[in-house]
């Protein structure tokens, strides 16, 4: 029994402590420290040491599981081994869970937790069933699996906190397994499915075993809580592996035969028509490393199997993938090379692709582009363009090609290089049996080690013709024969080991040309070989290391020292120039002998450029020695080394390792460009690309040699930390600012390098550490992990403020970064404070900091943009642009960001054409220099959004597809935030398509986007996440939630969205702050006044969004004529309202709105007096005409009954006579509504109702009873006239009656019909009506005005409450859009078609104007049954539509106008055949005429006539 008093934290009211089966003995476990990879489950065999039959994986899967379970059990304590090996099934687990949920002594908390685990046994049993079914007739045991789950639960019962943690991760595990089971059930390729089962079971049983160790080793709650973060990190990593496996299986499943053919067909359509490309190269092409191996032996069966599947002449798939899998040193690469040189299938182009690193992959594809002579190919740069060009060639060429991916290990860097949809052959060599291509038809084979006889034959061949002759004659000495066969038995049949053994035998200084001597020396070295400084050896690896060590021992001192340094660098592409630095002091230490001149020993002594072109004699001799012993290869000025050689390098001591590491660091640090004061390294990207792999490799080696069980870990020097700083900054920079293609692994490399450098930094208050924190935060910022970003940027700022002067440029960098952080977190005032501090420092530095100052100006403009102060934003953007042009040039990438910012401003103001122009300028610059940079994808995305707003669906989809292609190239291994946003927007465009062509594809894209969004937000990627009251994404702010997944500078403004911001407090606790990206307080107050007690959400929020934009456009129009000369506090010399100026205007509008809402007899004079009493008006003439004109204008904006003149004549009130969207600017009103357009101020003391009557009948009369509804049973026959849908549908009135639509700004003219000109006026701002709609019985802003009119002119015999009229009118206007445009498919399709014509004329289109209302196209351009329109009608409590309407019931305000239109349509006759086609007033007649034989005869007669 555990002592309950061992920790106060263990006690909990009502919680029971259970008796464990035995008392923990710490001697059962090895003592190990928490921070160093503790509790790691290890396996006996490495992943490349299995024998996998790719045609039948059942045996391998059964063997792998049995070995894994055995290994896990062996690593448990003896008592735990007994427990977990007891026979158990899922029923035992189920009974244990049920017992805890039902026992009376259990606490409610325990029961609740255990109840949550009830589905666990069922889910795991389904997994076990799938496993057993897939490997039948093989059988395996799962006792350990069930036993570990049960033991975890038992050990957790002693503490409520422990149980909560265990239940939490078990629940997460269950959800992953459930998803895997579903994918497994639908996977048609069992061989691939079995392999993924192993990849699921291995990490799962590892988690269970690690958790048992944790629970045993930390019995007290205090210790357990302290150790939990490390186990939690490991569990998260393992669950991440499981997620990746599930995704992998799902990807394989999705590439079934049907889906693959569909993908290829879709891709063909996407690129069609594509003519066969013109070939610029001469064929055949062979891009292969080195020459053919003259000593290649055997492997005939393997080569035949490869050719049978890859041969294009066989009955094989169009894209054929074959995997050569096997352990290191078995000869995989040699088989692939031999196949390529023999070329039995007569491929016209064969390309060898090195896959060890992302750098080698990129360079291989660049070399391919050059070899193919593709236009624009560049061997030394523009890797992204090279990749795209090669991929295009592979998909379109008719040539027969073969790609050989050598040493493929990491899917994350390989994914974007696969030529999906192409026709060709792919050969892969790998230590993994992983299906990299996710090709369900892939084939493969495990390359087995040579057997005894094959090994003997290969050895004889390698020893030369003399030994072969003696073997053939049987004249080899018995002692030599025995020694050779014993030697070979130790080498495990590995071709590489046999080759190295032959080299040793033939080396006179080692073996003396006798096998016996060599073998005796081998055995002696085998016994004395010291342990590796990191990691353990298997028996075969031990033999291999011994062989290499024998070679190493024979080297001269210089050659061994050089090899010890080379073994710590990246194995590919080590430039000789690395060992030829100008500053010769960089060669101090083990490589001092490489100096050109031994006298150059201080920091100021540099070698001349001419002297370091050629390596010194000592270096040349050392290189030659390494090359002669097959330890090194040289091609030109580039060195390569086999990874096996690096792994085998055995340092004599920790001091020897430390000295080698320091020398390697000095060389790379000397060669790597410095990053100073936050300036980017893009000018040195060529040098960076050469040395970044070596810096990253040193970082990884440092980690390997500092983690336990290393007894004396490496020590990091100051130079090492400097190198890590520069490497980490470059790893971030080439993701952001230069031509390099982003890969997800690059961020991983960056953060790993930072972690390594951090552990090597002794002083955590140094500027070096601040630099590391700054770079780490920059990475997190780009990943949208704002909480992590804040933590590191705040540390960097604190250190720099403590150590640097106030005017130091690095302090300004931290201020600038903190400003970006606060902008992303929506703390705009704090952001401005930081930016202003950065500006002060950078201005003081003069021209040196001009580029950085331009960046800060750009960011300040973004703050104003986020505040909706677009004019001020544009002003700052202009200043940034001017500086960038002078410092960087007009066509640099910086300018693409400026143009994108301009486009965002125009987009938010609905200036679609101006936005499009800015985005196109951004795209032009981006494509010229950074074709696959995030800004390029952002430009394509933004153009797609603009085209979508204009209802150009196909064009929008085209832009979005291009953005997605770039984003997926940049993030091949996962759907990041950019991809998720593009997927969602593409789905939205497809769903909006009038014909529903892409409905199914849109649903798939939306699902994928949602999965990505949830995954990303769960990981903390995305600082602003739109939520509803329940914490879930609100559909009304859906776009904002996806926008939050991308970096702040690629987002749009969402003024009405509700957000959740996750930050980290100073105590390290997670905080959740809820809020809405605000308008200014004055604007908020005004909107609240207008909408009353309604909550601004849903379509009302969208309407308010538009209304603010509409009003601000009006403020701009009358700023110089009315506003600035009338309102107190406004500057008389400003050209447009800025910042606080708009707040004063909004305050004025709020006062007018409240007076309008409260006073039924309100007059212009009353409003002027009220404002004047509060000193809100400037001094005016005696008649106060200017204030009255401004108030009259404000009343027009608040009521929409008229549009006031922008510049009225003195002492007069005037409404505009021009239709904003008429066909020509000069078109003048012809209206029955308006009697006059200009009036004197004679009625300024009269109620507004009387004043408005001086202009005409602006408020429509009520002619019905809104208490009646058609749903209550009112019959059509009860009324003399009724509205027929078929007569007033837009397609009918446009195509048959030839009625023209004129979009008007005056609500009073809505549906006014002029039969003489055949013109129907339609109000183009439905959002205004949505704002004015209130719940029935609730008064609106205009209720007093409307009721004053109705009280003096009401004529209906059945009066209704006054408060009902106003909202009913606005509701009726919205329903009229549904009647004319939304009910009939032909109508809303005709609207969309007409919109394209209207858009050709700026002044004719309701969608191109600055104040365009998006709700208009929403209600008129799609079916009322679609989600978006239906939501509007649901929110205003509208009934479902009918085919016939009673005017007095359904349209008591507008019914008479609709009947006028209908009567005109009724009286029209069809004089032409086209008119007959469009005439569907009587649908039965239409079918009879056009379909029946008599009708067809009539058509013929009419045609002849």
């Amino acid at each position: 029994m555990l002592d309950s008093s061992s920790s106060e934290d263990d006690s909990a009211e009502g919680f029971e402590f259970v008796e464990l089966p035995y008392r923990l003995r710490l001697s059962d476990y090895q003592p190990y420290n928490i921070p160093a990879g503790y509790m790691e489950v290890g396996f006996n065999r490495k992943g490349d040491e299995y024998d996998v039959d790719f045609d039948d994986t059942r045996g391998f899967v059964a063997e792998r599981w049995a070995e894994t379970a055995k290994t896990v059990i062996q690593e448990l304590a003896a008592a735990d081994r007994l427990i977990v090996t007891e026979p158990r099934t899922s029923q035992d687990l189920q009974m244990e869970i049920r017992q805890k949920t039902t026992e009376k002594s259990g606490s409610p908390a325990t029961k609740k937790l255990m109840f949550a685990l009830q589905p666990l046994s069922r889910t795991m049993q389904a997994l076990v069933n799938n496993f057993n079914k897939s490997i039948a007739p093989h059988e395996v045991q799962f006792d350990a699996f069930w036993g570990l789950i049960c033991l975890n639960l038992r050990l957790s019962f002693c503490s409520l906190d422990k149980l909560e943690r265990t239940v939490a991760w078990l629940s997460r595990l269950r959800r992953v397994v459930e998803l895997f089971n579903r994918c497994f059930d639908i996977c048609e390729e069992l061989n691939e499915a079995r392999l993924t089962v192993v990849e699921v079971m291995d990490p799962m049983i590892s988690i269970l075993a690690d958790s048992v160790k944790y629970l045993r080793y930390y019995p007290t709650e205090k210790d357990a809580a302290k150790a939990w973060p490390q186990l939690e990190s490991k569990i998260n990593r393992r669950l991440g592996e499981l997620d990746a496996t599930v995704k992998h299986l799902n990807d394989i499943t999705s590439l079934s035969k049907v889906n693959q053919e569909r993908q290829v067909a879709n891709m063909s359509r996407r690129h069609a028509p594509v003519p066969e490309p013109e070939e610029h190269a001469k064929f055949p092409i062979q891009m292969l490393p080195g020459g053919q191996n003259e000593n290649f032996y055997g492997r005939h069966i393997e080569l035949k199997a490869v050719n049978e599947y890859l041969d294009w002449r066989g009955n094989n798939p169009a894209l054929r993938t074959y995997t050569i899998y096997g352990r290191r040193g078995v000869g995989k690469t040699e088989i692939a090379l031999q196949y390529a040189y023999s070329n039995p299938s007569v491929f016209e182009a064969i390309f060898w692709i090195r896959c060890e690193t992302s750098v080698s992959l990129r360079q291989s594809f660049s070399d391919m582009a050059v070899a193919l002579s593709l236009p624009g190919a560049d061997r030394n740069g523009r890797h992204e363009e090279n990749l795209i060009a090669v991929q295009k060639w592979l998909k379109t060429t008719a040539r027969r090609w073969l790609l050989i991916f050598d040493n493929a290990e990491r899917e994350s860097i390989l994914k974007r290089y696969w030529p999906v949809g192409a026709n060709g052959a792919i050969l892969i060599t790998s230590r993994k049996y992983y299906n990299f291509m996710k090709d369900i038809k892939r084939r493969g084979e495990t390359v087995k080690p040579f057997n005894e006889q094959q090994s003997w034959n290969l050895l004889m061949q390698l020893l030369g013709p003399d030994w072969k002759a003696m073997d053939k004659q049987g004249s080899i000495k018995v002692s030599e024969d025995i020694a050779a066969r014993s030697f070979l038995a130790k080498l495990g049949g590995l071709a590489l080991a046999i080759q190295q053994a032959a080299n040793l035998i033939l080396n006179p200084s080692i073996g003396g040309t006798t096998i016996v001597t060599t073998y005796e020396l081998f055995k002696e070295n085998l016994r004395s070989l010291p342990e590796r400084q990191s990691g353990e050896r298997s028996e075969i690896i031990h033999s291999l290391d011994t062989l290499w060590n024998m070679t190493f021992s024979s080297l001269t001192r210089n050659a061994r020292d050089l090899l010890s340094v080379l073994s710590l660098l990246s194995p590919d592409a080590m430039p000789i120039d690395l060992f030829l630095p100008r500053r010769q002091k960089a060669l101090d230490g083990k490589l001092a002998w490489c100096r050109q001149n031994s006298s150059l020993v201080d920091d100021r002594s540099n070698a001349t450029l001419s002297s370091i072109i050629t390596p010194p004699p000592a270096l040349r001799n050392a290189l030659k020695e390494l090359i002669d012993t097959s330890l090194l290869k040289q091609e030109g000025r580039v060195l390569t080394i086999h990874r096996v050689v690096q792994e085998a390098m055995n340092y004599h001591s920790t001091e020897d390792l430390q000295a080698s590491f320091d020398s390697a660091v000095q060389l790379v640090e000397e060669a790597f460009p410095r990053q100073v004061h936050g300036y980017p390294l893009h000018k040195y990207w060529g040098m960076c690309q050469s040395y970044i792999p070596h810096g990253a490799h040193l970082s990884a080696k440092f980690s390997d040699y500092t983690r336990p069980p290393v007894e004396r870990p490496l020590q990091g020097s100051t130079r090492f930390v400097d190198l890590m700083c520069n490497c980490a900054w470059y790893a971030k920079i080439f993701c952001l600012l230069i031509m390099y293609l982003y890969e997800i692994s690059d961020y991983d490399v960056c953060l790993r390098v930072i972690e390594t450098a951090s552990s090597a930094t002794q002083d955590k208050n140094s500027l070096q550490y601040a630099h590391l924190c700054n770079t780490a935060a920059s990475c997190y910022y780009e990943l949208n992990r704002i909480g992590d970003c804040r933590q590191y940027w705040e540390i960097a700022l604190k250190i720099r403020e403590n150590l640097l002067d106030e005017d130091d440029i690095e302090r300004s960098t931290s201020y600038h970064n903190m400003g970006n952080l606060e902008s992303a977190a929506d703390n705009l005032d704090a952001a401005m404070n930081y930016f202003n501090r950065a500006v002060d420092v950078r201005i003081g530095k003069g021209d040196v900091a001009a580029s950085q100052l331009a960046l800060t100006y750009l960011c300040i403009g973004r703050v104003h943009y986020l505040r909706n102060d677009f004019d001020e934003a544009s002003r700052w953007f202009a200043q940034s642009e001017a500086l960038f042009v002078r410092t960087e040039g007009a066509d640099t990438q910086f300018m693409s960001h400026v143009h994108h910012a301009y486009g965002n401003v125009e987009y938010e103001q609905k200036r679609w054409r101006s936005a499009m122009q800015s985005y196109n300028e951004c795209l032009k610059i981006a494509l010229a220099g950074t074709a696959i940079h995030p800004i390029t994808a952002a430009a394509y995305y933004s153009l797609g959004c603009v085209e979508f707003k204009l209802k150009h669906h196909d064009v929008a989809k085209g832009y979005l597809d291009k953005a997605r292609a770039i984003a997926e190239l940049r993030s091949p291994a996962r759907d990041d935030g950019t991809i998720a946003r593009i997927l969602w927007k593409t789905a939205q465009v497809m769903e909006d398509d009038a014909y529903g062509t892409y409905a199914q594809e849109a649903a798939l894209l939306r699902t994928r986007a949602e999965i990505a969004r949830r995954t990303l937000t769960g990981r903390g990627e995305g600082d602003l996440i739109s939520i509803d009251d329940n914490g879930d994404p609100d559909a009304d702010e859906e776009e904002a939630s996806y926008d939050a997944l991308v970096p702040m500078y690629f987002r749009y403004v969402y003024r009405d969205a509700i957000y959740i911001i996750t930050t980290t407090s100073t105590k390290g606790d997670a905080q959740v702050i809820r809020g809405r990206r605000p308008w200014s307080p004055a604007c908020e107050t005004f909107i609240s006044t207008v909408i009353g007690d309604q909550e601004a959400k849903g379509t009302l929020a969208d309407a308010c969004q538009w209304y603010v934009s509409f009003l601000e456009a009006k403020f701009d129009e009358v700023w110089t004529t009315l506003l600035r000369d009338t309102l107190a506090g406004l500057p008389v010399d400003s050209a447009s309202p800025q910042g606080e100026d708009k707040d004063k205007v909004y305050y004025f509008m709020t006062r007018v709105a409240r007076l309008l809402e409260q006073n039924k007899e309100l007059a212009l004079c009353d409003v002027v007096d009220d404002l004047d009493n509060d000193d809100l008006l400037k001094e005016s003439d005696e008649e106060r005409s200017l204030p009255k004109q401004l108030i009259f204008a404000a009343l027009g904006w608040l009521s929409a009954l008229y549009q006031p003149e922008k510049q009225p004549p003195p002492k007069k009130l005037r409404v505009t006579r021009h239709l904003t969207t008429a066909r020509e600017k000069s078109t003048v009103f012809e209206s029955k509504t308006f009697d006059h357009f200009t009036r004197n101020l004679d009625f300024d003391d009269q109620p507004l109702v009387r004043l408005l009557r001086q202009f005409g009948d602006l408020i429509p009369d009520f002619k019905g009873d809104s208490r009646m509804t058609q749903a209550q049973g009112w019959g059509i026959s009860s009324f003399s006239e009724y509205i027929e849908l078929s007569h007033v549908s837009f397609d009918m009135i446009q195509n048959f009656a030839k009625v023209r639509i004129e979009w008007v700004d005056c609500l009073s003219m809505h549906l006014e019909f002029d039969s003489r000109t055949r013109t129907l006026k339609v109000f183009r701002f439905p959002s205004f009506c949505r704002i004015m709609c209130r719940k029935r019985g609730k008064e609106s802003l205009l209720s007093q005005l409307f009721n004053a009119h109705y009280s003096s002119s009401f004529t209906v015999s059945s009066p209704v409450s006054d408060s009902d009229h106003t909202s009913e009118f606005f509701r009726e206007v919205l329903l009229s859009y549904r009647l004319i445009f939304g009910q009939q498919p032909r109508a809303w399709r005709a609207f969309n078609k007409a919109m394209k014509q209207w858009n050709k004329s700026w002044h004719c289109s309701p969608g191109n104007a600055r104040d365009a209302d998006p709700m208009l196209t929403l209600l008129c351009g799609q079916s009322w049954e679609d989600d978006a329109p239906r939501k509007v009608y649901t929110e205003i409590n509208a009934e479902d539509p009918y085919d016939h309407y009673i005017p007095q019931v359904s349209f008591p305000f507008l019914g008479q106008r609709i009947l006028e239109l209908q009567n005109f349509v009724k009286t029209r006759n069809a004089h032409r055949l086209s008119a007959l086609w469009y005439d569907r007033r009587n649908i039965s007649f239409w079918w009879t005429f056009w379909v029946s034989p008599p009708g067809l005869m009539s058509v013929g007669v009419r045609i002849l006539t």
Side-chain angles (χ1 to χ4, degrees), residues 117-282:
L117 281 183
Q118 284 188 339
L120 180 65
S121 60
R122 182 177 64 253
T123 301
M124 296 304 178
Q125 183 60 53
L127 175 64
V128 170
N129 290 342
N130 284 333
F131 197 133
N132 283 325
K133 181 175 61 175
S134 68
I135 65 171
H138 297 272
E139 294 183 359
V140 292
Q141 298 297 320
F142 289 92
D143 296 337
F145 177 65
W146 298 116
L148 282 169
I149 298 177
C150 292
L151 184 56
N152 268 280
L153 293 177
R154 291 181 187 178
L155 295 176
S156 301
F157 289 146
C158 63
S159 163
L160 180 59
D161 290 335
K162 288 182 180 178
L163 185 61
E164 285 179 344
R165 290 192 285 263
T166 301
V167 170
W169 70 257
L170 280 174
S171 298
R172 290 175 59 197
L173 179 63
R174 175 184 60 80
R175 288 191 290 270
V176 175
V177 173
E178 283 180 348
L179 185 57
F180 176 82
N181 287 336
R182 291 199 294 271
C183 294
F184 187 93
D185 289 338
I186 62 175
C187 184
E188 299 176 357
E189 179 51 55
L190 279 180
N191 275 323
E192 296 295 342
R194 292 187 198 107
L195 294 177
T196 57
V197 169
V198 171
E199 301 302 326
V200 166
M201 296 299 292
D202 279 5
M204 187 158 54
I205 199 170
S206 299
I207 293 174
L208 293 167
D210 289 344
S211 179
V212 166
K213 292 180 181 181
Y214 158 79
L215 293 168
R216 285 292 195 196
Y217 194 68
Y218 304 103
T220 65
E221 179 53 39
K222 184 175 182 181
D223 291 338
K226 185 177 180 180
W228 168 248
Q230 183 178 353
L231 178 62
E232 183 183 32
S233 175
K234 179 175 292 187
I235 290 173
N236 290 337
R237 177 165 58 86
R238 293 291 193 184
L239 289 175
E241 294 173 6
L242 290 176
D243 283 333
T245 302
V246 173
K247 184 179 185 299
H248 180 65
L249 178 59
N250 183 63
D251 290 343
I252 291 175
T253 304
S254 66
L255 291 174
S256 62
K257 180 178 179 180
V258 175
N259 285 339
Q260 192 173 38
E261 290 175 354
R262 185 178 302 162
Q263 281 191 340
V264 173
N266 287 342
M267 188 165 294
S268 300
R269 285 196 297 270
R270 186 180 309 157
H271 296 282
V274 178
E276 184 175 327
E278 178 185 356
E279 301 291 3
H280 301 277
K282 293 183 179 180

Side-chain angles (χ1 to χ4, degrees), residues 41 137 310 317 353 384 425 530 535 573 588 669 694 721 788 804 1020 1121 1238 1372 1502:
V41 173
L310 295 185
I353 301 167
E384 315 88 350
D588 281 357
E669 197 270 341
H694 303 297
V721 177
D788 294 325
L804 299 175
T1121 58
T1238 305
E1372 190 172 314
R1502 283 180 175 266

Side-chain angles (χ1 to χ4, degrees), residues 674-964:
R674 268 75 170 164
Q675 196 277 327
V676 182
H677 301 323
Y679 287 102
L681 298 172
H682 63 280
K683 295 181 180 179
Y684 309 103
W685 71 272
M687 296 175 64
C688 289
Q689 72 160 347
S690 298
Y691 298 116
I692 186 68
H694 303 297
H697 204 78
L698 285 169
S699 170
K701 287 294 182 182
F702 184 84
S703 298
D704 291 341
Y705 290 122
T706 52
R707 68 164 63 99
V710 177
E711 295 181 0
R712 297 179 61 186
L714 277 176
Q715 300 298 315
S717 64
T718 301
R719 293 185 71 114
F720 176 64
V721 177
D722 285 340
L723 172 63
M724 294 301 98
C725 288
N726 288 311
C727 287
W729 183 259
Y730 173 71
K732 169 186 173 289
I733 287 299
F734 82 76
C735 297
L736 304 178
L737 300 176
I738 64 173
M739 271 190 281
Y740 258 42
L741 176 66
Y742 170 92
E743 300 170 355
I744 187 60
S745 58
D746 290 332
Y747 276 131
D748 294 339
V749 169
C750 179
L751 293 174
R752 284 202 306 270
V753 167
I754 291 169
E755 182 181 0
T756 300
S758 178
S759 65
T761 304
Q762 302 298 321
D763 186 1
K764 295 298 192 290
N765 292 310
S766 64
L767 290 176
Q768 278 186 333
Y769 189 69
H771 195 129
L772 287 172
C773 291
N774 183 67
T775 307
S778 299
C779 284
Y780 287 128
Y781 186 83
E782 299 305 322
L783 291 171
N784 257 346
R785 292 166 58 177
I786 299 302
D788 294 325
C789 173
R790 180 178 295 279
Q791 176 185 353
Y792 286 102
W793 263 342
E794 286 180 346
I795 292 173
L797 176 61
K798 182 178 179 181
I799 293 173
R800 287 171 172 173
E801 285 184 331
N802 288 337
L803 300 180
L804 299 175
D805 295 335
E806 290 185 3
D807 62 345
D808 192 280
I809 194 68
E810 288 198 15
R811 284 185 69 162
S812 77
T813 300
S814 284
Y815 295 147
H816 176 92
N817 291 338
M818 288 300 297
N820 278 330
L821 174 67
E822 299 298 353
S823 296
D826 204 36
N827 303 323
L828 301 184
D829 291 338
M832 281 300 296
N833 181 44
Y834 280 119
F835 284 137
N836 288 333
R837 294 167 74 179
V839 167
D840 292 341
V841 174
R842 292 177 174 182
I843 287 178
K845 293 297 180 181
D847 293 345
V848 175
S851 294
Q852 291 174 302
L853 181 63
L855 279 174
T856 306
Y857 284 164
L858 180 62
C859 294
I860 290 175
R862 288 191 181 117
V863 172
H864 289 289
Y865 164 75
L866 294 173
R867 285 175 168 171
N868 309 315
D869 191 348
F870 300 131
D871 292 330
E872 188 69 7
S874 297
R875 187 173 71 84
W876 283 98
F877 292 156
Q879 292 188 56
S880 175
E881 178 182 14
L883 273 178
F884 275 139
V885 169
R886 289 175 175 269
T887 57
E888 301 291 335
D891 296 327
T892 60
Q893 188 188 8
F894 296 104
M895 284 302 300
S896 63
H897 285 270
V898 174
H899 287 296
H900 191 269
Y902 277 134
N904 287 347
V905 168
E906 301 295 342
Y907 183 92
E908 288 302 324
Q909 297 179 90
K910 298 179 175 58
R911 299 171 180 169
W912 308 126
R913 297 188 184 277
S914 296
M916 193 180 301
Q917 183 177 358
S918 295
Y919 291 141
N920 274 317
E921 193 65 29
C922 167
L923 183 62
K924 176 183 175 182
I925 296 173
L927 286 174
T930 53
I932 312 183
H933 189 275
I935 189 65
T936 313
Y940 276 129
Y941 176 84
S942 299
L943 284 167
C945 291
V946 173
E947 296 291 355
F948 179 49
K949 291 291 186 182
L950 298 175
K951 292 299 178 180
H952 302 158
H953 295 85
D954 290 338
V955 180
K957 185 176 180 296
Y959 280 129
L960 293 172
D961 285 344
K962 291 179 179 180
R964 179 179 162 192

Side-chain angles (χ1 to χ4, degrees), residues 1099-1128:
T1099 61
L1100 179 58
D1102 297 334
C1104 292
Q1105 175 77 35
W1106 165 83
Y1107 192 41
V1108 170
S1109 300
F1110 168 82
L1111 285 176
E1112 292 185 356
K1114 298 302 178 185
F1115 297 164
D1116 289 343
E1117 289 176 358
V1118 302
W1119 178 255
T1120 57
T1121 58
L1122 293 177
L1123 277 171
R1124 71 180 185 184
D1125 296 326
T1126 304
L1127 296 184

